[in-house]
Amino acid sequence: MSYFLTDEQLMIRDMVREFSRKFVAVTAMERDLSKEFPAENCEKMAELGLMGMMIPPEYGGSGTDTISYVLALSEIAYSCASTAVVMSVHNSIVCESILRYGSDDQKVRYLKSLASGEMIGAFAMTEPQAGSDPVSQKTSAVKDGEYYVLNGTKRFITTGKNAGLTIVTAITDSAKKHKGISAFIVVKDTPGLIVGKVEDKMGLRGSDTCDLVFDNCRVHKDDLLGSEGDGFKIAMSALDGGRIGIAAQSVGVAQAALDAAVKYSTQREQFGQTISKFQGLRWMVAEMATEVEAARQLMFSAAAMKDKGVNYTLQASMAKLFASEMVNRVTAKALQMHGGYGFIKEYPVERFYRDARVFTIYEGTSEIQKVVISNHIFNDKRKM
């Protein structure tokens, strides 16, 4: 449904769609097998302005709105979810956090490199014992003259191995609980920053996920993002934008699965006719298409609210919750429609099914989204 999109938004969607299906899709299956990081994809995407979509032109970005961004992200996810998650974390969380909370010096030093694709961004908050409960994190940052000394371990960090820059949260004052968490910009090859275990994952295998170990890692005070104690606020703000990004990824993968199922069903014959003629299957397709469209509209709603500058936390959580659960249902049905062929790697629905599974988990589980949504409903019904 594109009746409300502007000509510019449609142009961006169509441009990214053509690039995604002609270039990104070609190596998606290969990357899933080899676990090769999509560096070439990111390089080409940077040339198209996709690695700094919401960064203003004065910092080398495209300066687009959030609607344009989610359209582009969905199209990349349609072809390769591994590439899309790199794009999403880089844009939604890293670039936006520096743009919103960074000093003028930090914006000049980092945003141009991020927008050009010279550096890919990562975000490190999760720890071995602090996932849904970020206040329980143990990584510390102790002031030492003009530096902060970071010690601790971060877990499940998307792009952690390949990132040129990582935003890291750490405790600067344990007595203040969430108000004692600060955020730091740590560039690659900083002494004391060690890439730890790289995970062997079920899906999104072309995107690295790893531990980052901080062993007396010295970060200059000029790389404190915001002020001391702003880390939790920065992280929660970043996750709101990131959750819209997950909704966009979910929509892209679900649309790919739906399209693959429709194509297969019009070619596969059983009992003397294509299986697309059977009512049971046609009703499955109707349900799948309706769910994809509902998720897309929730994604657009959250993105539009973000563009208007109003609080969109509730809508972001709703979009993330519904879309991430939806893509798991849709990919499962698409696989089922393929029968035995859906269970083998020759057909992409097998990859779609595996890639989709983590969407209900990362950047806030479905259960956490329900906590956020219900808190909004009970605390202020006017926000509905």
Side-chain angles (χ1 to χ4, degrees), residues 207-261:
S207 159
D208 64 284
T209 300
C210 69
D211 282 2
L212 290 179
V213 180
F214 297 87
D215 183 9
N216 291 320
C217 180
R218 298 177 67 82
V219 179
H220 196 272
K221 64 180 183 180
D222 289 347
D223 283 324
L224 171 68
L225 186 59
S227 303
E228 273 198 20
D230 283 348
F232 186 81
K233 176 178 68 176
I234 291 170
M236 294 303 103
S237 172
L239 287 174
D240 281 346
R243 286 164 182 168
I244 299 177
I246 303 249
Q249 293 169 61
S250 299
V251 168
V253 173
Q255 187 67 59
L258 173 60
D259 289 353

Side-chain angles (χ1 to χ4, degrees), residues 77-78 81 202 249-261 284 287-289 291-292 322-339 341-343 347-360:
Y78 184 99
M202 175 183 184
Q249 293 169 61
S250 299
V251 168
V253 173
Q255 187 67 59
L258 173 60
D259 289 353
M284 284 176 67
E287 292 170 352
M288 293 158 71
E291 287 207 70
V292 174
F322 183 83
S324 64
E325 295 287 348
M326 173 279 298
V327 71
N328 278 275
R329 292 190 293 268
V330 167
T331 53
K333 288 178 179 178
L335 192 153
Q336 184 73 15
M337 287 168 62
H338 279 70
Y341 291 108
F343 198 64
Y347 288 78
V349 289
E350 182 269 346
R351 170 166 53 88
F352 299 154
Y353 182 76
R354 287 185 290 105
D355 284 345
R357 189 59 192 88
V358 75
F359 292 172
T360 63

